Amino acid sequence: MRLTKGMLLRVRGAAGTVVVCLEGTVWLTEEGDLSDHFLEGGHRHRIAGNGVVVLEALHNARLQMQPPNGSRYTRLTERAADRVDTSSVSA
């Protein structure tokens, strides 16, 4: 999935999913985790819980969401795509 600079992606219920940044730079924050994470091309982060995870593209980015074993990739991708929030992106 591609995110343009400034675009936000909010995901819920994705414990165990690995977010892989294929290119660009993404800021990631996860409910219950006091640390912020910055992913650049080649970096990954495993989502620990089922709370809200927010990602913001600091530069144009391409991500891959790898669900945990036994989960349905299509359902997760549809859920993530439904949560793309572009309201904070200025024109």
Side-chain angles (χ1 to χ4, degrees):
M1 109 181 22
R2 292 188 182 276
L3 298 177
T4 57
K5 181 179 178 179
M7 185 177 279
L8 298 174
L9 174 67
R10 190 173 72 199
V11 180
R12 288 184 209 162
T17 297
V18 176
V19 179
V20 181
C21 182
L22 300 171
E23 60 186 59
T25 306
V26 175
W27 165 76
L28 181 150
T29 188
E30 183 175 349
E31 186 176 344
D33 182 352
L34 299 178
S35 299
D36 288 344
H37 304 276
F38 295 89
L39 306 179
E40 294 180 329
H43 292 153
R44 60 186 60 225
H45 175 81
R46 181 177 305 275
I47 298 172
N50 281 315
V52 175
V53 176
V54 177
L55 299 98
E56 180 180 3
L58 300 179
H59 302 284
N60 291 345
R62 192 164 54 97
L63 302 176
Q64 183 179 61
M65 306 287 276
Q66 299 174 343
N69 293 336
S71 67
R72 292 184 42 199
Y73 179 78
T74 303
R75 197 166 121 221
L76 177 66
T77 303
E78 287 171 355
R79 228 184 322 160
D82 287 345
R83 296 204 173 14
V84 172
D85 177 1
T86 59
S87 62
S88 68
V89 178
S90 57

